Amino acid sequence: MNNYFHTTLFFFFGFVSSSLFQFSVASIVSTGDFNKDFFVLWSPNHVNTSDDGKTRSLKLDQESGAGFASNQMFLFGQIDMQIKLVAGDSAGTVLAFYLTSDQPNRDEIDLEFLGNVSGQPYILQTNIYADGFDNREERIQLWFDPTKDFHTYSVLWNLHQIVFMVDTIPIRVYKNHADKGVAFPRRQPMSLKATLWNGDSWATRGGQDKIDWKNGPFIASFRNYKIDACVWKGNPRFCRASNSNNWWNQYNFSSLTSIQRRWFKWVRKYHLIYDYCQDNERFQSNLPRECSLEDDCLFGFFLSKFGFL
């Protein structure tokens, strides 16, 4: 009995220690060194990294675009990246900053910066893939010139919601309504990627404005990123847990704060230019199910109905 008791205690404390260890490595704060946390996806001669690894730029010219991706994959967390966008006449260029599972039924959380004719407001398009389906685009016009200086673009992704932010201001919220039959990215780990490429078939005024290569090369720059997320270790339950390491899953991150909601309403009222939840023509008056469930989409609907959009 004594031996059995000691053996049981050994396995019990071994399991607890192992669990605590896996929880402790679940959340990672990035090194801040692009050379350590990312690898080059393609065209390394179009990727320039500072000697200390703290800044990186991507170049697009007639030869190629470029991209980089994180070494790790994540399931929930918050990603912040400071970006300076392509300056001047950037029509037709697309800078994408996104999380993706790279699976056939992929999940993806996209921020796409659509180049424009010089002097026009920069458009930020967001999109969400869940279980391989997208068609969830929203577009806003940025309220500043994102080519003059670096600004912080963030994604908070947890069990409750996905929040897109610009300089901490929430610009879009996508709630988890999986219990109501709405797909939500919650099972597949995703890597973080940044790419700069030629999208002039669609990006600027529906493809009407093409890239003028005389204005190239086109450069986008990155710095001061932070990845605080659950590193995928093959077991989703550690990433779904709500504890001090997985802070993003805690209840107080299940909705916007009152201050965030005020900023969010301001963005929706003055800067939103396209919302799929208001596009009855596209969906033939059969809007996706989440459009009738989202408080934020309903808010947009009322703004539109009463003439504020």
Side-chain angles (χ1 to χ4, degrees), residues 135-162:
N135 293 330
R136 297 183 176 93
E137 300 94 344
E138 289 189 5
R139 291 185 178 186
I140 66 164
Q141 290 182 330
L142 294 173
W143 51 92
F144 51 85
D145 185 344
T147 71
K148 298 296 186 184
D149 202 353
F150 287 88
H151 291 265
T152 303
Y153 303 92
S154 308
V155 172
L156 170 65
W157 169 37
N158 60 34
L159 287 168
H160 316 288
Q161 60 181 352
I162 297 168

Side-chain angles (χ1 to χ4, degrees), residues 47-79:
V47 180
N48 184 54
T49 309
S50 62
D51 291 340
D52 61 4
K54 301 299 183 183
T55 63
R56 173 167 285 181
S57 64
L58 298 179
K59 179 175 72 172
L60 169 66
D61 57 22
Q62 284 180 287
E63 176 188 334
S64 178
F68 59 88
S70 61
N71 294 323
Q72 302 277 11
M73 299 192 78
F74 314 100
L75 186 62
F76 306 127
Q78 180 164 322
I79 312 294

Side-chain angles (χ1 to χ4, degrees), residues 6 13 60 76 81 123 153 155 188 212 232 241-242 279 297:
H6 288 146
F13 285 113
L60 169 66
F76 306 127
M81 179 73 77
I123 292 174
Y153 303 92
V155 172
Q188 300 184 70
D212 185 348
W232 178 250
S242 178
D279 196 342
C297 285

Side-chain angles (χ1 to χ4, degrees), residues 256-302:
L256 299 182
T257 66
S258 58
I259 294 175
Q260 285 179 317
R261 286 193 69 84
R262 286 198 292 271
W263 278 114
F264 180 69
K265 290 178 181 179
W266 174 78
V267 171
R268 307 292 283 188
K269 182 175 180 179
Y270 294 107
H271 299 283
L272 180 70
I273 58 174
Y274 177 80
D275 180 357
Y276 75 107
C277 277
Q278 299 173 34
D279 196 342
N280 278 297
E281 182 178 353
R282 175 184 179 184
F283 293 101
Q284 300 179 338
S285 297
N286 186 26
L287 293 173
R289 180 171 173 76
E290 65 267 20
C291 293
S292 63
L293 300 171
E294 293 276 11
D295 290 342
D296 306 322
C297 285
L298 287 175
F299 176 77
F301 169 78
F302 286 117

Side-chain angles (χ1 to χ4, degrees), residues 60-64 93 198 200 211-218:
L60 169 66
D61 57 22
Q62 284 180 287
E63 176 188 334
S64 178
T93 67
N198 178 355
D200 70 4
I211 290 180
D212 185 348
W213 295 109
K214 295 194 299 293
N215 295 321
F218 303 97

Side-chain angles (χ1 to χ4, degrees), residues 26-27 230 238-250:
S27 176
C230 185
F238 296 116
C239 293
R240 291 175 182 158
S242 178
N243 54 47
S244 58
N245 289 323
N246 296 353
W247 57 265
W248 47 83
N249 283 334
Q250 294 177 7

